[in-house]
Amino acid sequence: MPFDPLPFTVALLLFILLWVVARREDESSPNLPFLALILVAALQSVFTGLRWGHGIR
């Protein structure tokens, strides 16, 4: 069974949230600082999963 640390699952959910928020069909423009915050949190979660789950520094 492949090893899947919890940060990778969190990152996947954050990327899904980013996609849903960016693709919504409202008339208002997307909130770019919020999208950037979601992206940074997802990338940080991926890097944390690589460090804890696979020992990559």
Side-chain angles (χ1 to χ4, degrees), residues 29-53:
S29 62
N31 189 353
L32 293 180
F34 181 63
L35 293 176
L37 180 67
I38 294 173
L39 181 63
V40 167
L43 291 176
Q44 182 179 9
S45 185
V46 167
F47 293 143
T48 302
L50 286 175
R51 175 157 170 85
W52 286 355

Side-chain angles (χ1 to χ4, degrees), residues 2-57:
F3 181 64
D4 183 27
L6 184 61
F8 288 149
T9 306
V10 172
L12 177 65
L13 292 175
L14 284 170
F15 282 127
I16 291 171
L17 177 66
L18 176 69
W19 182 73
V20 168
V21 171
R23 302 282 299 177
R24 67 180 179 182
E25 305 256 340
D26 290 347
E27 293 179 6
S28 62
S29 62
N31 189 353
L32 293 180
F34 181 63
L35 293 176
L37 180 67
I38 294 173
L39 181 63
V40 167
L43 291 176
Q44 182 179 9
S45 185
V46 167
F47 293 143
T48 302
L50 286 175
R51 175 157 170 85
W52 286 355
H54 299 286
I56 297 172
R57 292 184 180 230

